[in-house]
Amino acid sequence: MDVICPLDVEFSDKISLLLKPPSPNDVQNYFDKIIKERQCLGLKIKQDGEFGKCVFAESEFKEGDLVLKDQMLVGAQHSSNKVDCLVCSYCFRFIGSIELQIGRKLYLKQFGLSVRKECDTESHSHISKKCRLDDSSDEEDDSYRTSHNEGSCSYSQQKEAIPLPQEVLDSLLKGDVKLPYTDQFNLPSSVPCPGGCDEAQYCSKSCADADWELFHSLLCTGKNSVSASRESILNFMEHANETNDIFILAAKTISSTISRYKKLKAAQTEHREQLMGQNGFDSYEFSLLLEAWKPVSMGYKRRWWECVALPDDVDGCDETSFRMEIKELAFKSLDLLKKAIFDKECAPLFSLEIYGQIIGMFELNNLDLVVASPVEDYFLYVDDRPDKEKEEAERITRPLLDALGDDYSACCEGSAFFPLQSCMNHSCCPNAKAFKREEDKNGQATIIALQPISKGEEITISYIDEDLPFEERQALLADYGFKCKCKKCCEDDP
């Protein structure tokens, strides 16, 4: 039996308008404005009838040049990764101190909470749930660590964790101990959530205020939350953490749209009578909702339960039931979200059609959010000291490393949607790639040129592992709804 959401029926006309593709002129103006604001003046977004939005070079790039540094529209750290990494909830920069990062990780590890995943800091997957972080090849991961660290760290040979005394953990957590050379790795102090919750922490007041204004005010469980039911928010978050944290991205998207709507409405209250016109107040409010929705409207969308890749362990004959289960899962998540933050003036946003399309946008356009750990850099720094300095430092740091085991290098992992990067088309022989450089300390997307790129040339990235055989590449790309016709595929096509 199909899942039916009453709001889909009640607001069908408004939902159609929200999901209507923006005009070419609106698309061009939107991306021209973003490029100007972010000073990405070497790029130009163009529209193509066959391939949709494309990114072209407006200037020449040399191999290794930074092509783009893109700020996310919405992003979230994976819930399991929050145990291993304390980062800013807005920009995902590591915060606190090296001592706090180590102490916190070891403290939580006592309770079996640490979840270690292989972290490929070189490449970001273009897919959200279909290509997980631990699918990255060992070859890619090793190549990053060699180039990033310029040599191997003897610490990496440690496998088994050896527990530390509780008093040592307490000293690290309280800041009573200062480890050698940590003054070379100063991290911003933790700034608490304006709403008073324990979940969100920030690297600065500006990040705290920005997150509060855009997303967190509605999703906060603190005493200053604007939500009517903090318990309902906790129920929604618990369900997302247990099933699929892509729901948290969808919730943040709806929250940010509501926040933009409220801000637009407040700014135009004085001119309400003139803006209402003959269509009345409802039409006026919906015009503001359309404007608030605009950043989301620019992303390519499909219903999540229709575009999610069929898992390997699901037989083709069971595909229909699998997709129905996915739809029911989305409906359950949406029901929990409505209980938490439903806003009558923005009711169409809480329809299953809109919710499914938002999640589908993430499924098809997300980059894996990866930020390298300063804890790993710290131990590598100690390992690289002259023999006498290293020996003295290791008397203190070696027990910590032994206690951390392989978890010492865990990086921040999450998922995010980036407006400009999402316009980049796929090629199995791309001229650019997502790559975190030494200086990239937050969750912004960085795109680097793989080869010289001429002015007027399209900039492409690979959505998949381009070294896979032709048939496997085409099968993976079919989930995006296209057949790749790049030079490599044309040559490999039997």
Side-chain angles (χ1 to χ4, degrees):
M1 187 174 180
D2 197 8
V3 176
I4 298 176
C5 174
L7 293 180
D8 285 296
V9 178
E10 183 179 353
F11 297 102
S12 59
D13 55 338
K14 290 181 170 60
I15 292 168
S16 296
L17 289 172
L18 286 167
L19 293 176
K20 181 180 179 181
S23 70
N25 187 57
D26 284 345
V27 171
Q28 198 65 60
N29 290 338
Y30 176 78
F31 285 105
D32 285 348
K33 181 180 178 181
I34 287 184
I35 286 174
K36 184 177 180 180
E37 288 175 348
R38 300 182 184 177
Q39 298 183 331
C40 304
L41 303 182
L43 304 178
K44 180 72 175 180
I45 305 296
K46 297 183 181 180
Q47 300 170 74
D48 182 281
E50 182 178 1
F51 300 107
K53 298 183 289 291
C54 312
V55 180
F56 284 84
E58 285 283 282
S59 59
E60 293 186 354
F61 294 97
K62 302 189 294 293
E63 180 180 349
D65 278 355
L66 175 66
V67 173
L68 167 66
K69 194 162 186 178
D70 197 9
Q71 184 177 338
M72 67 187 70
L73 179 66
V74 60
Q77 182 184 12
H78 292 319
S79 56
S80 59
N81 184 248
K82 292 180 179 181
V83 173
D84 287 317
C85 304
L86 178 63
V87 299
C88 174
S89 298
Y90 183 70
C91 75
F92 304 99
R93 183 180 180 183
F94 279 78
I95 57 178
S97 66
I98 295 296
E99 290 84 359
L100 177 61
Q101 291 284 343
I102 294 173
R104 180 178 175 275
K105 188 192 299 279
L106 290 175
Y107 175 78
L108 294 173
K109 192 173 183 178
Q110 294 180 118
F111 306 99
L113 296 176
S114 182
V115 180
R116 173 69 176 138
K117 296 182 181 180
E118 287 303 317
C119 173
D120 175 9
T121 318
E122 173 179 347
S123 60
H124 300 268
S125 164
H126 192 71
I127 312 171
S128 63
K129 291 294 173 185
K130 290 178 287 196
C131 180
R132 300 179 186 275
L133 288 168
D134 52 7
D135 288 339
S136 303
S137 69
D138 290 337
E139 180 180 353
E140 287 180 329
D141 193 64
D142 290 343
S143 68
Y144 166 72
R145 293 184 187 282
T146 300
S147 62
H148 179 66
N149 301 319
E150 298 181 354
S152 61
C153 176
S154 61
Y155 286 138
S156 64
Q157 303 302 314
Q158 174 65 36
K159 297 296 181 183
E160 297 297 327
I162 303 174
L164 279 177
Q166 186 63 44
E167 58 267 22
V168 176
L169 291 183
D170 291 341
S171 295
L172 288 168
L173 288 169
K174 294 177 182 178
D176 293 339
V177 62
K178 181 73 172 177
L179 299 177
Y181 303 115
T182 54
D183 56 349
Q184 302 296 315
F185 298 87
N186 290 324
L187 303 181
S189 299
S190 174
V191 175
C193 163
C197 76
D198 296 326
E199 284 295 310
Q201 297 186 58
Y202 303 92
C203 68
S204 64
K205 186 178 183 300
S206 60
C207 274
D209 291 344
D211 195 43
W212 182 261
E213 182 178 342
L214 285 172
F215 313 108
H216 193 59
S217 59
L218 287 175
L219 298 172
C220 179
T221 57
K223 60 182 180 181
N224 295 325
S225 172
V226 301
S227 172
S229 175
R230 289 182 282 173
E231 182 179 354
S232 296
I233 295 174
L234 288 172
N235 291 337
F236 168 80
M237 292 295 182
E238 182 179 2
H239 178 264
N241 291 334
E242 290 177 351
T243 58
N244 195 323
D245 55 14
I246 201 170
F247 296 140
I248 295 176
L249 290 173
K252 293 182 78 169
T253 301
I254 291 175
S255 296
S256 65
T257 303
I258 293 173
S259 296
R260 282 192 293 270
Y261 166 79
K262 297 291 187 183
K263 190 174 182 179
L264 286 169
K265 185 177 178 181
Q268 298 187 12
T269 298
E270 295 180 3
H271 308 287
R272 182 179 301 176
E273 297 299 327
Q274 298 93 319
L275 292 169
M276 281 173 57
Q278 60 183 6
N279 294 323
F281 185 70
D282 183 66
S283 177
Y284 156 73
E285 288 188 326
F286 186 66
S287 69
L288 297 182
L289 184 60
L290 281 172
E291 181 64 24
W293 172 257
K294 183 178 289 185
V296 189
S297 73
M298 299 295 166
Y300 174 67
K301 301 177 192 65
R302 287 169 61 193
R303 296 185 185 98
W304 181 46
W305 45 88
E306 293 176 358
C307 69
V308 66
L310 196 67
D312 294 336
D313 59 352
V314 176
D315 193 85
C317 62
D318 297 323
E319 180 173 354
T320 301
S321 60
F322 165 77
R323 298 198 180 282
M324 180 55 65
E325 289 175 7
I326 291 294
K327 187 175 182 179
E328 290 171 352
L329 182 63
F331 183 74
K332 173 63 174 177
S333 173
L334 175 62
D335 185 57
L336 292 170
L337 183 64
K338 282 193 288 189
K339 291 176 181 176
I341 66 169
F342 182 76
D343 188 299
K344 186 176 180 180
E345 293 181 16
C346 301
L349 298 180
F350 294 90
S351 67
L352 184 58
E353 182 68 20
I354 291 291
Y355 198 61
Q357 296 268 358
I358 291 173
I359 302 171
M361 180 181 76
F362 294 135
E363 188 72 32
L364 295 169
N365 295 282
N366 270 10
L367 271 180
D368 281 340
L369 189 161
V370 180
V371 183
S373 170
V375 175
E376 178 183 20
D377 289 339
Y378 168 70
F379 283 118
L380 289 165
Y381 181 87
V382 171
D383 192 52
D384 199 38
R385 294 299 85 209
D387 290 344
K388 185 177 180 180
E389 293 179 16
K390 177 180 174 180
E391 182 180 351
E392 292 177 356
E394 281 191 335
R395 281 199 292 267
I396 300 173
T397 62
R398 173 59 69 175
L400 301 177
L401 190 64
D402 289 344
L404 288 168
D406 286 343
D407 285 350
Y408 85 97
S409 60
C411 59
C412 171
E413 301 171 0
S415 192
F417 178 85
F418 298 89
L420 296 178
Q421 171 276 323
S422 68
C423 296
M424 290 184 172
N425 284 320
H426 164 83
S427 173
C428 296
C429 45
N431 55 19
K433 68 174 179 178
F435 182 84
K436 284 289 189 180
R437 305 165 301 168
E438 184 72 30
E439 62 267 34
D440 298 320
K441 304 296 186 182
N442 59 26
Q444 290 186 329
T446 52
I447 307 295
I448 306 296
L450 283 171
Q451 61 194 46
I453 301 175
S454 303
K455 182 177 180 179
E457 183 179 353
E458 183 180 3
I459 299 171
T460 58
I461 58 176
S462 180
Y463 297 178
I464 60 171
D465 180 358
E466 62 267 30
D467 294 326
L468 290 171
F470 171 76
E471 291 79 7
E472 292 185 40
R473 299 200 309 270
Q474 292 295 331
L476 288 171
L477 292 169
D479 292 328
Y480 293 94
F482 70 88
K483 180 177 181 179
C484 184
K485 300 177 182 178
C486 69
K487 179 181 178 181
K488 183 175 181 178
C489 284
C490 291
E491 293 174 350
D492 292 349
D493 192 346

